[in-house]
Amino acid sequence: MLLNCDLGESFGNWRMGEDALAMPHIDLANIACGFHGGDPQVMACTLALAKHHQVSIGAHPSYPDRQGFGRRSMALSADELCSDLHYQIAALEGMARVQGLTLRYVKPHGALYNDMMRDNAILATVMQAIASYPSELQLMLLATGQRQQHELMAQQHGLSLLFEAFADRRYTDQGTLTPRSQSGSVLDKQAMLEQVQLLVAEAKVITDSGQSLALNADTLCVHGDNLEAVNAIKEIRALCAR
């Protein structure tokens, strides 16, 4: 299973994550585009890291909410959201082309990601924005029990999808992520490794109610926020390579 990680979220004097340490152990780098994190210099450095380690790159756009790190929902019109996505994707793609790199996919960030997974109207706008962008890009979204429905939506837009699972998040019986406000929503290291083992071996997770849930995912989201997280990526990589 491919490993993806959110990177390039530092900006100015504010440093976020251990990008240089995480990059050698992942397959897909979701790179911030400036609206929640990232700036031109950070984008350039993150892209150079990806190029050095031969990691595929994707845009990681958000609502225009730098102060809230993209974690606050915003009531944007479809036209506004589409333009915001085009702006961010174009910024990263342009920076990538300078280094001879090709942008492969888009993974929305934070509140935008959560909103599109709960609201098909927002998801349709995101799909339309990516489909109308003049480069061929995939959309990464959460693998849930609605995979077939999401694939049908994507087909209507001529779009292909990448489905992801999360290594360190507890799932509900419906296949969505347990809200962070609930106890146990973020797994400790042992529980995370057990969940990864089950995903790799049987394409399943155990939900917050103890049920077994099938999840058909193409990629696994990991985090490089600190040294402990990077060490966990190494262990996850070993499990996925078995």
Side-chain angles (χ1 to χ4, degrees):
M1 188 179 294
L2 300 174
L3 301 186
N4 78 82
C5 188
D6 302 343
L7 300 172
E9 294 179 319
S10 302
F11 59 89
N13 291 327
W14 186 71
R15 185 170 180 269
M16 174 73 174
E18 296 290 345
D19 293 7
L21 298 179
M23 192 73 81
H25 309 290
I26 64 172
D27 305 288
L28 307 170
N30 320 317
I31 301 176
C33 304
F35 273 25
H36 76 279
D39 62 33
Q41 185 60 33
V42 169
M43 285 186 197
C45 291
T46 309
L47 289 164
L49 276 173
K51 183 175 183 178
H52 178 73
H53 294 287
Q54 298 182 319
V55 173
S56 293
I57 56 170
H60 195 40
S62 74
Y63 288 127
D65 178 32
R66 180 168 284 202
Q67 285 182 305
F69 197 63
R71 290 178 174 163
R72 299 180 293 190
S73 294
M74 300 183 72
L76 302 181
S77 70
D79 286 346
E80 288 174 322
L81 179 55
C82 189
S83 294
D84 282 352
L85 288 169
H86 285 166
Y87 183 95
Q88 292 176 81
I89 295 167
L92 185 66
E93 184 185 44
M95 297 289 288
R97 290 180 65 185
V98 169
Q99 299 195 38
L101 298 173
T102 301
L103 196 65
R104 301 295 183 186
Y105 64 92
V106 176
K107 176 187 172 180
H109 165 82
L112 178 54
Y113 185 97
N114 293 334
D115 289 350
M116 77 175 189
M117 294 309 305
R118 66 170 178 78
D119 187 331
N120 278 344
I122 296 174
L123 178 57
T125 298
V126 172
M127 286 185 175
Q128 177 59 36
I130 297 170
S132 62
Y133 189 81
S135 297
E136 187 174 341
L137 301 169
Q138 294 178 290
L139 170 63
M140 187 183 295
L141 75 170
L142 187 65
T144 70
Q146 295 180 294
R147 175 169 178 145
Q148 187 174 16
Q149 177 185 346
H150 292 151
E151 287 178 327
L152 289 173
M153 287 181 66
Q155 288 174 14
Q156 294 173 1
H157 294 281
L159 190 65
S160 63
L161 303 177
L162 281 169
F163 290 91
E164 72 168 340
F166 280 73
D168 64 345
R169 294 293 302 276
R170 182 72 69 195
Y171 281 80
T172 69
D173 291 347
Q174 292 72 42
T176 58
L177 301 180
T178 302
R180 288 183 179 271
S181 58
Q182 294 186 23
S183 176
S185 62
V186 179
L187 305 179
D188 61 29
K189 184 178 179 182
Q190 183 58 38
M192 175 183 67
L193 294 176
E194 290 173 359
Q195 178 156 286
V196 171
Q197 284 181 308
L198 189 59
L199 275 167
V200 172
E202 302 181 35
K204 295 179 180 178
V205 295
I206 303 302
T207 69
D208 51 11
S209 70
Q211 301 297 311
S212 176
L213 176 71
L215 277 187
N216 186 4
D218 305 303
T219 178
L220 187 64
C221 182
V222 296
H223 300 290
D225 297 342
N226 49 52
L227 293 177
E228 183 179 355
V230 173
N231 288 332
I233 293 176
K234 296 177 184 178
E235 294 187 54
I236 292 169
R237 166 60 74 194
L239 290 173
C240 290
R242 291 178 182 176

